[in-house]
Amino acid sequence: GRQHLFTKRRGSYRPFGRKDYHILYIAEGRCFVTLNGETTEAPKGSVIVYLPGQPQEYNFCAEDGSISYYIHFTGRGCEQLIHDTALDEKNIFYIGKSHTLEGLFDTLISEYKQKLKYSTHRMNGILLEIISVIGRKNAFMLSGGSDTNKRFDTVCEYIHNNFSEKLTLKELAAKCSLSESRFSHLFTELFGTSPKQYIM
């Protein structure tokens, strides 16, 4: 689901957690997460991962105008998938604002609501993609890509605001202070698609 948290303070307190996995992505605003008695701010671009049985306590303040996406899931192979993408190493991951991730969540929500033929298979595929995107972006950040990620966040915002213009690879690469080939390589690594395909 997707929550627009503009009107009142919202949150969850589950001292014994849930039986399933829970992923929360902060698209706008921020979330306050309490772990082992300590509260940490998870800003826009953060992903919060709860494993089955893990205590959950988090809150949103109305004045922050937060937007969050969430998913609960379970099933065969989930534990291995979460482990393979290193999402079981901590609870809060900063991956930066991701239009790709938001698009995947929106597609998943639409598929869930419509319940068309084979929608379960499609939702499984989208879930795999969501987890893979989070894992890849987290690995990129850990490898020293924090500054680069911020530059790509800026260029993606520019693409979204100007996609009807004739955007060139040269122009986009310049916005990140990168050569065209390096920009194209990093863009594809981060978003799983070429800049041209992303614009299309």
Side-chain angles (χ1 to χ4, degrees):
R2 179 180 56 236
Q3 289 185 309
H4 294 253
L5 305 154
F6 299 145
T7 54
K8 59 182 179 179
R9 184 180 173 88
R10 272 257 183 85
S12 284
Y13 177 60
R14 302 178 180 114
F16 304 106
R18 293 175 52 109
K19 291 182 179 179
D20 54 14
Y21 291 85
H22 179 190
I23 293 179
L24 188 63
Y25 167 66
I26 313 305
E28 296 293 339
R30 57 186 174 162
C31 180
F32 295 93
V33 183
T34 303
L35 299 165
N36 303 318
E38 282 191 35
T39 301
T40 304
E41 180 185 326
K44 171 174 78 174
S46 296
V47 173
I48 303 155
V49 178
Y50 291 109
L51 306 179
Q54 207 170 38
Q56 300 181 12
E57 185 178 355
Y58 57 88
N59 290 287
F60 296 93
C61 296
E63 60 269 19
D64 291 333
S66 299
I67 298 174
S68 71
Y69 288 89
Y70 63 90
I71 184 169
H72 300 277
F73 60 96
T74 190
R76 192 165 24 102
C78 288
E79 184 178 0
Q80 190 63 50
L81 176 63
I82 293 294
H83 180 72
D84 289 347
T85 50
L87 298 183
D88 57 358
E89 293 182 359
K90 56 185 180 177
N91 290 97
I92 304 171
F93 301 85
Y94 179 77
I95 62 166
K97 177 99 169 133
S98 174
H99 295 290
T100 301
L101 196 55
E102 289 170 34
L104 287 168
F105 267 111
D106 285 334
T107 303
L108 184 62
I109 292 165
S110 174
E111 198 68 41
Y112 179 76
K113 287 179 178 175
Q114 292 180 48
K115 301 200 183 324
L116 300 172
K117 194 169 185 175
Y118 308 120
S119 62
T120 301
H121 299 296
R122 184 145 192 248
M123 287 188 294
N124 287 340
I126 298 166
L127 174 62
L128 282 170
E129 204 168 345
I130 286 171
I131 292 170
S132 300
V133 166
I134 294 169
R136 176 183 283 168
K137 283 182 149 292
N138 180 52
F140 183 77
M141 296 295 278
L142 292 175
S143 67
S146 178
D147 181 55
T148 303
N149 201 59
K150 285 177 187 166
R151 287 188 278 168
F152 275 88
D153 284 349
T154 302
V155 87
C156 280
E157 200 69 47
Y158 180 79
I159 290 170
H160 280 257
N161 292 332
N162 300 280
F163 68 90
S164 59
E165 307 290 321
K166 188 171 170 41
L167 301 173
T168 66
L169 189 62
K170 182 177 182 178
E171 174 189 5
L172 298 176
K175 290 193 173 297
C176 288
S177 303
L178 295 168
S179 70
E180 290 178 48
S181 61
R182 183 68 179 148
F183 172 80
S184 188
H185 173 78
L186 286 173
F187 192 100
T188 304
E189 184 179 321
L190 266 174
F191 299 102
T193 188
S194 70
K196 184 178 178 182
Q197 282 296 118
Y198 187 88
I199 292 166
M200 288 173 66

